[in-house]
Coordinates of all heavy atoms in Angstrom, one line a residue:
I1 N 39.8 144.9 -59.3 CA 38.5 145.5 -59.6 C 37.6 145.1 -58.3 O 37.8 144.2 -57.6 CB 37.8 144.9 -60.8 CG1 36.5 145.6 -61.1 CG2 37.6 143.4 -60.7 CD1 36.1 145.4 -62.6
S2 N 36.8 146.2 -57.9 CA 35.9 146.0 -56.8 C 34.5 146.5 -57.2 O 34.3 147.5 -57.7 CB 36.5 146.8 -55.6 OG 35.7 146.7 -54.5
P3 N 33.4 145.9 -56.7 CA 32.1 146.4 -56.8 C 31.9 147.7 -56.1 O 32.3 147.7 -55.0 CB 31.2 145.3 -56.3 CG 32.0 144.0 -56.3 CD 33.4 144.6 -55.9
F4 N 31.3 148.6 -56.8 CA 31.1 149.9 -56.1 C 30.2 149.7 -54.9 O 29.2 149.1 -54.9 CB 30.5 151.0 -57.1 CG 30.3 152.3 -56.4 CD1 31.3 153.2 -56.2 CD2 28.9 152.8 -56.3 CE1 31.1 154.4 -55.7 CE2 28.8 154.0 -55.7 CZ 29.9 154.9 -55.4
G5 N 30.6 150.3 -53.8 CA 29.9 150.2 -52.5 C 30.3 148.9 -51.7 O 29.8 148.8 -50.6
N6 N 31.2 148.2 -52.2 CA 31.7 147.0 -51.5 C 33.2 147.0 -51.6 O 33.7 146.0 -52.1 CB 31.0 145.7 -52.1 CG 31.3 144.5 -51.3 OD1 31.8 144.6 -50.2 ND2 31.0 143.3 -51.8
P7 N 33.9 147.8 -51.0 CA 35.3 147.9 -51.2 C 36.1 146.8 -50.6 O 37.3 146.6 -50.9 CB 35.7 149.3 -50.5 CG 34.6 149.6 -49.6 CD 33.3 149.0 -50.2
E8 N 35.5 146.0 -49.7 CA 36.2 145.0 -49.1 C 36.3 143.8 -50.0 O 37.2 143.0 -49.8 CB 35.4 144.5 -47.8 CG 35.5 145.5 -46.5 CD 34.4 146.5 -46.8 OE1 33.5 146.3 -47.7 OE2 34.5 147.6 -46.1
F9 N 35.6 143.7 -51.1 CA 35.6 142.7 -52.1 C 36.5 143.1 -53.2 O 36.1 144.0 -54.0 CB 34.1 142.3 -52.5 CG 34.1 141.1 -53.4 CD1 34.0 139.9 -52.9 CD2 34.2 141.2 -54.8 CE1 33.9 138.7 -53.6 CE2 34.1 140.0 -55.6 CZ 34.0 138.8 -54.9
I10 N 37.6 142.5 -53.3 CA 38.6 142.8 -54.3 C 39.0 141.6 -55.2 O 39.4 140.6 -54.6 CB 39.8 143.5 -53.7 CG1 39.5 144.9 -53.1 CG2 40.9 143.6 -54.7 CD1 40.7 145.6 -52.4
I11 N 39.0 141.8 -56.4 CA 39.4 140.7 -57.4 C 40.7 141.3 -58.1 O 40.8 142.3 -58.5 CB 38.4 140.5 -58.5 CG1 37.1 140.0 -57.8 CG2 38.9 139.5 -59.5 CD1 35.9 140.0 -58.8
N12 N 41.7 140.3 -58.2 CA 42.9 140.6 -58.9 C 43.2 139.6 -59.9 O 43.2 138.4 -59.6 CB 44.1 140.7 -57.8 CG 45.4 140.9 -58.5 OD1 46.5 140.3 -58.1 ND2 45.5 141.9 -59.4
T13 N 43.5 140.0 -61.1 CA 44.0 139.1 -62.2 C 45.1 139.7 -62.8 O 45.4 141.0 -62.6 CB 42.8 138.9 -63.3 OG1 42.6 140.2 -63.9 CG2 41.6 138.3 -62.6
T14 N 45.9 138.8 -63.5 CA 47.1 139.3 -64.2 C 47.2 138.9 -65.7 O 46.5 138.0 -66.1 CB 48.4 138.7 -63.5 OG1 48.2 137.3 -63.5 CG2 48.4 139.2 -62.0
G15 N 48.1 139.6 -66.4 CA 48.3 139.2 -67.8 C 49.7 139.5 -68.2 O 50.5 140.3 -67.5
R16 N 50.4 138.8 -69.1 CA 51.7 138.9 -69.6 C 51.8 138.9 -71.1 O 51.1 138.0 -71.7 CB 52.6 137.8 -68.9 CG 54.1 137.8 -69.4 CD 54.8 136.9 -68.6 NE 55.1 137.4 -67.3 CZ 55.8 136.8 -66.4 NH1 56.5 135.7 -66.6 NH2 55.9 137.3 -65.1
L17 N 52.7 139.7 -71.6 CA 53.0 139.7 -73.0 C 54.5 139.7 -73.1 O 55.2 140.6 -72.6 CB 52.4 140.9 -73.7 CG 52.9 141.2 -75.2 CD1 52.5 140.1 -76.0 CD2 52.5 142.6 -75.7
S18 N 55.1 138.6 -73.8 CA 56.5 138.5 -73.8 C 57.0 139.0 -75.2 O 56.3 139.1 -76.2 CB 56.8 137.0 -73.7 OG 56.5 136.6 -72.5
G19 N 58.3 139.5 -75.2 CA 58.9 140.0 -76.4 C 60.5 140.2 -76.2 O 61.0 139.6 -75.2
L20 N 61.0 141.1 -77.0 CA 62.4 141.4 -76.9 C 62.6 142.9 -76.9 O 61.8 143.6 -77.6 CB 63.2 140.7 -78.1 CG 63.1 139.3 -78.3 CD1 63.6 138.8 -79.6 CD2 63.9 138.5 -77.2
I21 N 63.7 143.3 -76.3 CA 64.0 144.7 -76.4 C 64.7 145.0 -77.7 O 65.7 144.3 -78.0 CB 65.0 145.1 -75.1 CG1 64.2 144.9 -73.8 CG2 65.4 146.6 -75.3 CD1 62.9 145.7 -73.7
A22 N 64.3 146.0 -78.4 CA 65.0 146.4 -79.7 C 66.3 147.0 -79.5 O 66.6 147.4 -78.3 CB 64.0 147.3 -80.4
T23 N 67.0 147.3 -80.5 CA 68.2 148.1 -80.4 C 68.1 149.5 -80.9 O 69.0 150.3 -80.8 CB 69.3 147.5 -81.4 OG1 68.8 147.3 -82.7 CG2 69.6 146.0 -80.8
S24 N 66.9 149.9 -81.3 CA 66.5 151.3 -81.6 C 65.2 151.6 -81.3 O 64.3 150.7 -81.1 CB 66.8 151.6 -83.1 OG 65.9 150.7 -83.9
I25 N 64.8 152.9 -81.2 CA 63.5 153.3 -80.8 C 62.7 153.6 -82.0 O 63.0 154.3 -82.9 CB 63.6 154.6 -79.9 CG1 64.4 154.3 -78.7 CG2 62.3 155.1 -79.6 CD1 64.7 155.6 -77.9
S26 N 61.4 152.9 -82.0 CA 60.5 153.2 -83.2 C 59.8 154.5 -83.0 O 59.5 154.9 -81.9 CB 59.4 152.0 -83.1 OG 58.3 152.3 -84.0
P27 N 59.4 155.2 -84.2 CA 58.7 156.4 -84.0 C 57.2 156.1 -83.7 O 56.4 157.1 -83.5 CB 58.8 156.9 -85.5 CG 59.0 155.8 -86.3 CD 59.8 154.8 -85.5

């Protein structure tokens, strides 16, 4: 994310959600 008009100022954050891969596809 960056404040409009100040493109040199950039913030970066991250997030993670853990799980398992299923054996079939849900509808």
